[in-house]
Amino acid sequence: MIFILVKLARFVTPKEQELIANDLLKTLRGHSIPVTIINDSWGSRRRLLIQLKDKSRYSPNIQKLILQTPGVNSLILFSQSDFEFETTSLTDLLAHLEDYIVNKIRSNTVFITYQAFGRIPFHKKAILDRLKRKHIFHTGDAKHNLYIEVKRDKQTKEKQPVIKVRLGEKIGSTPIRNKKITSPTLILYSPFTIQEVADFFRLALTFKARVIFTNENKMVEKIIEQVEETYFKGLSKVEHQIIPNLDSIMENKERSLFYGFSLWGSDPITSLREKIESSGKKREEIFFIFGNEEKGIPLNVRKMILTFYIGVKASEPLRASQAAAYALGILNI
């Protein structure tokens, strides 16, 4: 027997969750797979639990069917032995983790996703630090996404807290990225508004891109503080940097590729991939430059770099974040 925790997109309503469960049940039974699907008892909101009685019936095709269901964001696969076992200490949990990593993953690098329900006497950093001492490393480049979910349960007679643990592999619905082109760094020139900065943080998080803000107007630090207070709480998850001015990074023009995006660009954005691939500098860092809401990219910068336009040259340009999303989409990043 195996268990599959299905995590749904955050926009899914309780009524839609029922519909998704019914759709999954119909799809899987249509492939002659006997399953049970319920709302997950650990957290019923936007979480479904599939119980697959015959684990031999699980396959990459079944996994794909689940992930392609509208509203499904990701899934976590648990074997029966690693689903809801009990531990009373971090030492006991680490012993189980080490055994799982050594014997099932067979690698000393993993990417760990950790979720806790209730007051737990240890946290993710403690787990990562202790694993590191055993030469097991948490890294974003790891092939295996290890998922740990813990929940406080009853107490022992000695008043020790009992923690229930789920240990499995997280599988996302993110498409495979095109590896022929290096992910570009996004540069937003001298932003003036909270909205444009917040939008670039969201882009960077979604596309796993680095973002640079130039600070010619001396306002960026204050804007980022306001963004964190009002619009975007995940700044620590985004690799970002503030630099004094655009000139300071364009000094590396000989070793890096710079492309601009403007209403008055010279080339259509449909030629973006071709231009990058024919540049002869595929291994160098790529920078995409976008103008702010008020002035766009300065004229002197547009004279120095190849600049692309999107669609027809309408009277009103796209917002910088819209242009950036379009450019990243063109590259299939």
Side-chain angles (χ1 to χ4, degrees):
M1 182 183 298
I2 63 172
F3 298 87
I4 305 169
L5 177 63
V6 180
K7 291 195 172 186
L8 307 178
R10 64 180 181 178
F11 60 79
V12 171
T13 66
K15 183 62 178 177
E16 289 171 332
Q17 183 165 326
E18 291 181 25
L19 295 174
I20 293 169
N22 290 332
D23 287 344
L24 285 170
L25 194 61
K26 183 178 178 181
T27 297
L28 294 174
R29 287 182 175 172
H31 285 74
S32 301
I33 299 175
V35 296
T36 302
I37 302 179
I38 60 173
N39 289 338
D40 181 43
S41 61
W42 282 29
S44 60
R45 190 177 181 187
R46 295 190 289 271
R47 291 161 56 101
L48 297 170
L49 188 64
I50 299 176
Q51 182 178 318
L52 188 59
K53 298 175 182 178
D54 183 359
K55 65 180 181 180
S56 66
R57 301 301 304 275
Y58 182 80
S59 68
N61 286 336
I62 297 303
Q63 174 183 302
K64 187 176 180 180
L65 282 173
I66 299 172
L67 286 171
Q68 287 181 337
T69 302
V72 171
N73 181 47
S74 61
L75 58 88
I76 298 94
L77 183 65
F78 303 98
S79 65
Q80 188 170 2
S81 61
D82 299 309
F83 186 74
E84 294 192 14
F85 62 91
E86 293 184 351
T87 182
T88 56
S89 67
L90 177 58
T91 300
D92 185 38
L93 173 60
L94 285 165
H96 198 109
L97 274 175
E98 187 177 7
D99 178 71
Y100 183 96
I101 293 168
V102 171
N103 295 309
K104 293 188 177 181
I105 299 177
R106 298 179 182 176
S107 172
N108 68 335
T109 60
V110 292
F111 182 82
I112 295 177
T113 302
Y114 175 83
Q115 183 163 354
F117 294 86
R119 297 181 63 183
I120 306 298
F122 47 80
H123 47 78
K124 182 178 179 179
K125 187 176 184 303
I127 294 172
L128 298 183
D129 288 345
R130 295 281 288 273
L131 286 175
K132 190 175 180 179
R133 294 178 200 169
K134 297 178 180 290
H135 304 287
I136 297 172
F137 303 97
H138 164 71
T139 171
D141 298 328
K143 293 180 180 179
H144 192 100
N145 192 331
L146 178 61
Y147 184 87
I148 307 170
E149 196 165 76
V150 294
K151 179 183 179 183
R152 192 180 183 107
D153 197 30
K154 55 193 176 184
Q155 286 186 335
T156 65
K157 293 180 180 180
E158 293 76 24
K159 303 297 183 181
Q160 283 184 300
V162 175
I163 308 297
K164 282 190 174 181
V165 182
R166 293 173 173 177
L167 185 58
E169 178 185 4
K170 184 176 182 181
I171 302 165
S173 57
T174 304
I176 297 173
R177 297 183 177 190
N178 189 304
K179 297 297 183 181
K180 293 182 179 179
I181 296 179
T182 304
S183 296
T185 294
L186 308 178
I187 299 177
L188 181 59
Y189 170 76
S190 193
F192 281 84
T193 68
I194 295 174
Q195 187 65 61
E196 60 188 326
V197 171
D199 286 348
F200 265 75
F201 276 124
R202 289 191 176 92
L203 275 171
L205 183 62
T206 298
F207 291 99
K208 308 301 180 187
R210 184 164 70 105
V211 62
I212 294 175
F213 301 100
T214 72
N215 197 25
E216 287 85 353
N217 59 17
K218 311 298 183 187
M219 295 172 59
V220 176
E221 288 94 342
K222 183 63 177 177
I223 292 173
I224 289 179
E225 288 179 11
Q226 294 173 322
V227 166
E228 191 168 22
E229 291 172 0
T230 57
Y231 276 86
F232 188 86
K233 306 298 183 182
L235 263 63
S236 62
K237 301 176 183 178
V238 177
E239 185 181 354
H240 65 281
Q241 180 183 0
I242 302 172
I243 61 174
N245 52 65
L246 192 53
D247 292 339
S248 62
I249 198 166
M250 293 194 70
E251 292 174 356
N252 296 322
K253 196 169 183 298
E254 296 301 318
R255 294 186 289 110
S256 302
L257 295 171
F258 292 87
Y259 297 103
F261 299 84
S262 168
L263 177 65
W264 308 112
S266 59
D267 288 54
I269 197 168
T270 51
S271 66
L272 174 61
R273 173 179 287 278
E274 178 187 352
K275 295 290 186 182
I276 294 176
E277 290 179 341
S278 64
S279 67
K281 296 183 179 180
K282 295 177 186 176
R283 297 183 182 275
E284 297 291 340
E285 189 168 8
I286 301 172
F287 295 92
F288 282 3
I289 302 175
F290 302 89
N292 60 43
E293 295 288 330
E294 292 193 11
K295 298 181 179 179
I297 300 176
L299 180 60
N300 68 306
V301 175
R302 290 206 299 267
K303 288 181 177 180
M304 296 169 59
I305 62 175
L306 181 60
T307 307
F308 297 90
Y309 65 88
I310 299 172
V312 297
K313 295 186 176 181
S315 59
E316 291 295 332
L318 293 176
R319 293 185 180 276
S321 58
Q322 294 171 328
Y326 197 103
L328 293 170
I330 286 284
L331 297 183
N332 191 27
I333 295 298

